[in-house]
Amino acid sequence: MATPGLQMPSEFSNSNLELLISEEQIQSRIKELGAQIARDYASRNPLLIGVLKGACLFMSDLMRAIDIHLGIEFMAISSYGMSTRTSGEVRILKDLGVPVEGRDILVVEDIVDTGLTLSYLLANLKSRGAASVKLVALLDKAERREREVPIDYLGFQIPDNFVVGYGLDFAERYRNLPFIAVLKNPE
Ligand code: IMP
Ligand code: MG
């Protein structure tokens, strides 16, 4: 029972957050992306591969907006230290549970920043003999790109600010926000 007069602290209205993309904007853009993907992949049984953890909310909303026969998988990847990050070397922490040979793959990612993680992952999936590998990204910070990554389906282009929410974190915090916000002061 809540104590009368004692306000619950709200994570979602934390004063360190500045709204960038509202829940309504996210959901309506996802409906459009889902409809477009359904048209493009009708009768191809695509495999959606979500990149953990950031893409978890995007993945769960996006797949409900794609009204065709499809499958889902998850991968977890992490960059090595800063020195190897620039070389684009990443580590697979959790791999797929199924072979991708001959499959039409749609990688689902939260944000493309430098592009190092995605350029490695897309090449890795192609080398396993996928029939096609395309990318769905919710956010694109194009200004920061170091490696060219073609985004086949994009939610929103954003400026070069550190954002959190809707799966994206700062030190594992804020993934649960239903909207995207700029973190004003990384503490
Ligand atoms: P990239 O290899 O530099 O493109 O890094 C992509 C990954 O870095 C994303 O999947 C995110 O996990 C993380 N990232 C990049 N920018 C942001 C941000 O603004 N907020 C939170 N995470 C970010
Ligand atoms: Mg990520």
Side-chain angles (χ1 to χ4, degrees), residues 4-160:
L6 251 184
Q7 197 66 49
M8 279 255 297
S10 162
E11 181 80 330
F12 297 174
S13 50
N14 185 319
S15 62
N16 199 16
L17 303 173
E18 188 182 309
L19 180 68
L20 184 65
I21 309 171
S22 73
E23 185 173 4
E24 292 71 25
Q25 286 175 293
I26 295 171
Q27 296 303 330
S28 102
R29 185 74 187 110
I30 288 177
K31 296 261 176 345
E32 295 173 353
L33 290 175
Q36 196 186 340
I37 292 168
R39 280 195 300 276
D40 295 351
Y41 284 85
S43 53
R44 286 167 67 188
N45 183 19
L47 182 65
L48 269 58
I49 300 179
V51 184
L52 295 171
K53 301 173 199 170
C56 64
L57 296 196
F58 183 38
M59 178 79 156
S60 67
D61 285 333
L62 181 68
M63 68 179 171
R64 281 178 282 187
I66 307 175
D67 184 8
I68 59 169
H69 174 180
L70 57 74
I72 68 161
E73 280 287 328
F74 289 96
M75 282 181 87
I77 49 188
S78 92
S79 308
Y80 278 115
M82 280 320 276
S83 53
T84 44
R85 220 180 118 71
T86 44
S87 71
E89 201 181 328
V90 300
R91 196 154 45 113
I92 295 180
L93 302 177
K94 182 213 176 296
D95 208 340
L96 299 170
V98 297
V100 298
E101 202 176 343
R103 298 293 304 267
D104 288 305
I105 303 297
L106 264 169
V107 173
V108 180
E109 176 62 302
D110 51 2
I111 186 168
V112 185
D113 187 26
T114 64
L116 294 173
T117 313
L118 262 301
S119 71
Y120 167 84
L121 183 61
L122 297 174
N124 178 285
L125 291 169
K126 281 176 193 154
S127 76
R128 302 186 198 187
S132 67
V133 181
K134 302 241 177 199
L135 174 63
V136 193
L138 180 65
L139 305 174
D140 178 19
K141 250 194 240 177
E143 282 171 59
R144 302 235 324 149
R145 201 75 87 251
E146 290 176 29
R147 219 43 81 72
E148 200 195 324
V149 172
I151 304 178
D152 302 284
Y153 302 92
L154 173 67
F156 304 92
Q157 195 80 57
I158 62 164
D160 181 14

